[in-house]
């Protein structure tokens, strides 16, 4: 059995997420997904749209996912130690530095390979989320504009 | 085998969708989900954020879903005839008139029961989508406001 770990925020699911998870699972048999906590999301990127429990529960509903967990707040290696993946699969556009992760794993005597996955033809994961957010904001701006012309 | 049909737009998945699908599946064994086409969404409600193929493909990734199809543009009973469900499960807040559907099914000699499901404690399906959209728009308004104060 080869256990693969995939990680992410998974706020508003889109095809880029599914591609990433499928590519990750191709590397082995069991897919373990680590969902970033709200505090980690805030630290790294932005305010999450959906809170961590909602993001985690949706990930658990995906057929491809064998297990899913929230990460830990201040130590990304703690969940690796707990779940013991054979391979950590990084998405094409995830900001992690592979070599730094490899070094830190070695330091902690964690025996997991780090693999960087290929790009999704439909654009990056972040682009997927941005596309959805962009469409929502355009619709909102359009409605405000129409209200100015037509009245509320 | 009891086949259940659930229907919807399923634009931006959220816990209300999952609740609806799970409650529907409890009525039988096989869950068949019909995803509204873009043209139906436009006719009934609004412009979809995600196009129909993306909405359909995401629904297919859910563990609970046994089969998923796009509906037909102008006749909601066509897909019922094709997929032959034993029960059509309506979500708590779906606008369909149960009795009208029952009459139309009878007229077409389609032998399917119509069941209205209970409300999701976390709020209606539409509220779930609105909550997500509301959060995106608030973040956008906040950013615009900060740009006015701080400059771009």
């Amino acid at each position: 059995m080869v256990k693969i770990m995939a990680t992410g925020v998974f706020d508003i699911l889109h095809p880029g997420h599914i591609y990433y998870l499928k590519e990750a699972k191709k590397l082995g048999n069991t897919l373990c997904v680590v969902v970033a906590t709200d505090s980690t999301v805030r630290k790294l990127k932005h305010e999450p749209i959906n809170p961590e429990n909602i993001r985690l529960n949706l990930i658990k509903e995906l057929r491809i996912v064998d297990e899913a967990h929230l990460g830990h707040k201040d130590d990304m290696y703690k969940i690796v130690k707990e779940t013991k993946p054979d391979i950590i699969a990084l998405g094409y556009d995830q900001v992690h530095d592979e070599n730094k992760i490899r070094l830190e794993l070695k330091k902690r005597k964690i025996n997991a390979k780090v693999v960087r996955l290929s790009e999704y033809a439909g654009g990056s994961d972040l682009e997927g989320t941005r596309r959805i957010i962009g469409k929502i904001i355009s619709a909102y701006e359009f409605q405000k504009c129409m209200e100015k012309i037509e009245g509320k």
Side-chain angles (χ1 to χ4, degrees), chain A residues 37-55:
Chain A
T37 60
D38 291 344
S39 78
T40 300
V41 179
R42 283 186 196 114
K43 223 178 289 174
L44 289 177
K45 287 162 91 182
H46 55 80
E47 182 65 23
I49 296 159
N50 289 296
E52 57 193 28
N53 63 323
I54 286 185
R55 294 183 282 110

Side-chain angles (χ1 to χ4, degrees), chain A residues 87-150:
Chain A
I87 297 173
I88 298 172
L90 301 178
Y92 176 78
D93 63 345
Q94 281 184 327
V95 288
H96 298 297
D97 177 336
E98 286 148 74
N99 290 325
K100 203 179 153 196
I101 293 180
R102 284 189 190 109
L103 265 173
E104 293 292 328
L105 290 170
K106 211 173 169 183
K107 240 197 252 175
R108 287 165 172 79
K109 299 193 171 59
I110 301 171
N111 194 16
K113 278 209 290 185
V114 180
V115 174
R116 175 71 70 175
L117 297 177
S118 68
E119 189 174 12
Y120 173 53
S124 80
D125 180 70
L126 208 58
E127 275 167 34
T129 307
R130 279 193 188 133
R131 186 185 55 76
I132 292 171
I133 290 176
K135 281 195 88 167
I136 291 171
I137 288 170
S138 307
Y140 170 69
E141 285 288 10
F142 175 75
Q143 198 191 341
K144 281 213 304 188
C145 175
M146 288 309 286
E147 279 173 2
K148 259 188 208 160
I149 296 170
E150 295 177 338

